[in-house]
């Protein structure tokens, strides 16, 4: 909770900082990387910096956090914090790094707001920063402590590399040492670290796409303009060893016996396929509705796995949308308007942002409460900032 002294200052300066935060974060990252160029080697994504997505995600999260503190003084925005903490933990962020970020962020704020900032404003926003940082540090400590080992990276050997629909590839891994393995929950992801042809190391997250538990398999879609997926597709072969993080991610199947709706588009089917697999493996009698959208049938990366798992479950149904019309599939983009949504369902969503925004809106209109809608974004979460 903000102190009585800072509350009115943050409340009064929220519109000002909110309107400037989009300019402050690029200045912050420029300062951070000038002082610590090593943070771009194996930690921050070079592409997210170039595209500006990470700047937007950071700006959006700070603005959302500060307005939450003002509008709901007695609580913290758990969902926002949890997502960031899982992402941070998958990258091995440490407590002392928060002081480094603080120094460069506040130097950028002082530079950007030079004409209006007072010591009182700086102090109030310092309080906002440390409330957020302390909450994240606490969550991240808990996430690290819940792992079966204390290592950030462990070696896993590629046991199989299997084409999965046009443009996608499934990597099945086996442990390459005897580090104890954390059991992953269905829907979680791992970070994968690779060395690029220019020698820079880069990390990306990949949802586990098959069995969870102590198995590790993930499915990547090739992004021709990207840095990591082309290396995985073209340079990584069976027998090679990849560095993998422990599993993280808060979009996991919630316990219960209510109906589950899994809605995905394109490569967004990976976490939902893993959730579906766990339901099939446990012989669940929950009602399960699988909704998937693709451009063509051939590009559906986990088609046979998902159709097999739907077959295995008495209570499961599948509906497909294809941009290219095909018998047995709906034509065009997915819409919930013609779907008979089960009452009291929980909805798990993954796919491009416009897809998720649309389906989430339709689900809310159809009576699913926002608290029962869970979504995974395959990149920095710029939903908050948009
Ligand atoms: C929690 C989570 C789970 C994920 N799970 C999966 C999964 O299961 N399967 C999967 O395939 N992916 C998944 N992803 C996405 C994955 O992490 C990568 O983002 C994806 O593989 C692309 O990485 P890349 O290195 O190939 O591309 P990047 O190097 O990250 O590039 C991404 C895009 O940015 C573009 N870009 C680069 N520079 C600029 C610029 N200046 N302006 C505009 N655009 C630019 C590139 O052209 C490219 O199209 C997940 C992501 C998250 C966060
Ligand atoms: C209060 C302080 C911080 C806030 C509010 C914050 C916020 C965020 C947000 C919103 C994301 C995107 C998460 C997502 O949508 O998946 C993110 C990712 C990230 N954060 Fe932080 N963060 C903070 C501190 C730190 C620190 C101390 C470090 C370590 C140097 C750090 C390193 C990273 C990295 C490497 C990523 C992934 C970015 C990428 O590769 O594109 N963050 N953070």
């Amino acid at each position: 909770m903000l102190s009585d002294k800072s509350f009115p200052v943050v409340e009064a300066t929220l519109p000002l900082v909110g309107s400037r935060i989009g300019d402050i974060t690029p200045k912050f990252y420029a300062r951070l990387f000038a002082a610590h160029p090593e943070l771009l080697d194996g930690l921050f994504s070079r592409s997210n910096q170039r595209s500006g997505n990470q700047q937007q995600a950071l700006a959006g999260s700070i603005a959302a956090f500060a307005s939450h503190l003002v509008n709901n003084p007695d609580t913290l925005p758990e969902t926002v914090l949890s997502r960031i903490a899982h992402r941070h933990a998958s990258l091995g962020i440490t407590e002392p790094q928060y002081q480094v970020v603080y120094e460069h962020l506040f130097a950028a704020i002082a530079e950007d707001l030079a004409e209006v900032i007072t010591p009182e404003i700086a102090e109030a926003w310092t309080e906002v920063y440390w409330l957020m940082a302390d909450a994240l540090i606490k969550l991240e400590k808990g996430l690290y402590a819940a792992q079966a080992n204390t290592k950030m990276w462990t070696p896993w050997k590629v046991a199989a590399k299997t084409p999965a629909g046009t443009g996608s590839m499934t990597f099945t891994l086996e442990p390459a040492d005897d580090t104890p393995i954390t059991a992953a929950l269905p829907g979680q992801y791992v970070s994968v670290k690779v060395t690029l042809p220019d020698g820079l190391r880069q990390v990306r997250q990949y949802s586990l796409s098959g069995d969870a538990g102590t198995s590790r398999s993930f499915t990547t879609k090739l992004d021709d303009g990207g840095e990591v997926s082309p290396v995985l597709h073209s340079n990584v072969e069976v027998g090679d060893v990849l560095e993998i993080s422990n599993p993280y991610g808060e979009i996991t199947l919630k316990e219960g016996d209510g109906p589950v709706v899994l809605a995905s588009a394109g490569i967004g089917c990976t976490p939902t396929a893993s959730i579906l697999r766990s339901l099939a493996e446990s012989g669940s009698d929950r009602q399960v509705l699988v909704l998937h959208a693709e451009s063509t049938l051939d590009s559906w990366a986990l088609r046979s796995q998902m159709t097999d798992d739907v077959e295995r479950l008495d209570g499961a149904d599948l509906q497909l949308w294809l941009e290219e019309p095909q018998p047995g599939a709906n034509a065009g983009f997915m819409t919930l308007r013609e779907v008979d949504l089960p009452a009291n369902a929980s909805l798990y969503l993954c796919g491009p942002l416009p897809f998720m925004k649309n389906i989430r809106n339709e689900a809310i209109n159809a009576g699913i409460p926002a608290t029962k809608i869970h979504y995974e974004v395959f990149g920095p979460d710029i939903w908050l900032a948009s």
Side-chain angles (χ1 to χ4, degrees):
M1 198 199 284
L2 276 170
S3 64
D4 291 348
K5 188 174 167 211
S6 295
F7 189 97
V9 182
V10 172
E11 192 176 32
T13 51
L14 196 52
L16 169 71
V17 177
S19 70
R20 296 301 309 159
I21 194 83
D23 294 291
I24 292 169
T25 47
K27 291 188 175 115
F28 152 66
Y29 279 114
R31 285 174 175 272
L32 181 72
F33 296 134
H36 295 279
E38 75 282 0
L39 293 177
L40 271 173
D41 184 13
L43 188 61
F44 281 90
S45 153
R46 182 160 64 176
S47 297
N48 286 342
Q49 289 298 321
R50 284 183 184 147
S51 66
N53 282 349
Q54 176 55 25
Q55 285 92 325
Q56 230 184 311
L58 179 69
S61 75
I62 295 173
F65 186 78
S67 36
H68 186 101
L69 289 180
V70 166
N71 297 324
N72 310 275
D74 299 330
T75 63
L76 290 176
E78 309 289 346
T79 318
V80 177
L81 292 173
S82 174
R83 178 185 161 90
I84 303 172
H86 277 271
R87 185 79 187 282
H88 278 170
S90 83
L91 291 154
I93 303 303
T94 60
E95 186 172 352
Q97 287 175 322
Y98 280 88
Q99 180 61 32
V100 176
V101 163
Y102 168 73
E103 280 161 22
H104 295 288
L105 184 58
F106 275 70
I109 291 177
E111 177 194 335
D112 192 83
L113 300 180
E115 284 170 16
V116 283
I117 198 157
T118 61
E120 201 189 23
I121 297 175
E123 207 179 298
W125 281 88
T126 294
E127 200 178 316
V128 172
Y129 176 86
W130 283 109
L131 274 174
M132 193 167 188
D134 288 340
L136 288 171
I137 291 167
K138 188 171 166 210
L139 287 172
E140 286 156 26
K141 274 192 183 155
L143 293 174
Y144 291 135
Q147 300 298 330
N149 62 70
T150 55
K151 294 185 184 169
M152 176 54 217
W153 299 106
T154 44
W156 287 71
K157 196 156 100 180
V158 179
K161 178 183 175 188
T162 321
T166 322
S168 297
M169 200 69 86
T170 297
F171 294 83
T172 307
L173 310 177
E174 57 189 33
D177 73 359
D178 56 6
T179 304
I181 304 169
T182 302
L185 299 171
Q188 287 194 307
Y189 56 82
V190 290
S191 287
V192 179
K193 182 157 73 171
V194 304
T195 305
L196 302 183
D198 66 5
L200 190 83
R201 286 167 300 175
Q202 286 283 278
V203 179
R204 298 289 183 270
Q205 287 69 41
Y206 291 101
S207 302
L208 298 171
S209 58
D211 290 325
T214 53
S215 301
R216 297 289 185 266
S217 63
F218 62 88
T219 302
T220 67
K221 185 181 156 94
L222 175 64
D223 183 335
D224 279 323
E227 304 232 67
V228 171
S229 60
V231 170
L232 290 170
H233 280 241
S234 305
N235 304 8
V236 174
E237 299 301 342
V238 171
D240 287 351
V241 170
L242 286 172
E243 288 190 88
I244 304 289
S245 74
N246 283 314
Y248 291 99
E250 77 291 12
I251 306 302
T252 60
L253 181 64
K254 308 284 172 279
E255 299 269 321
D257 50 15
V260 177
V261 180
L262 304 170
S264 53
I267 196 61
C269 64
T270 51
T272 54
S274 182
I275 291 175
L276 176 63
R277 167 53 57 91
S278 77
L279 290 162
E281 284 292 306
S282 66
S284 170
D285 52 13
R286 290 174 83 162
Q287 187 183 353
V288 182
L289 183 56
V290 179
L291 311 174
H292 183 65
E294 269 301 336
S295 47
T296 66
L297 199 56
D298 290 342
S299 56
W300 184 4
L302 297 165
R303 180 181 166 195
S304 58
Q305 176 184 319
M306 291 174 76
T307 47
D308 288 354
D309 285 338
V310 167
E311 284 293 308
R312 288 161 70 191
L313 282 164
D314 288 342
D317 272 315
L318 171 73
Q319 285 189 42
L320 183 64
W321 281 258
L322 294 175
E323 283 172 44
E324 237 173 48
Q326 177 106 7
N330 300 289
F333 296 125
M334 184 190 295
T335 168
L336 299 184
R337 283 194 301 272
E338 286 124 45
V339 176
D340 199 4
L341 286 173
N344 201 26
S346 299
L347 171 63
Y348 296 83
L349 265 176
C350 189
L353 266 190
F355 159 83
M356 293 201 288
K357 281 185 179 174
N358 185 44
I359 297 300
R360 184 174 182 276
N361 281 340
E362 290 190 348
I364 287 174
N365 290 340
I368 300 188
T371 49
K372 296 189 91 172
I373 304 176
H374 314 282
Y375 68 90
E376 187 66 275
V377 185
F378 278 4
D381 187 351
I382 52 174
W383 195 331
L384 277 174
S386 54

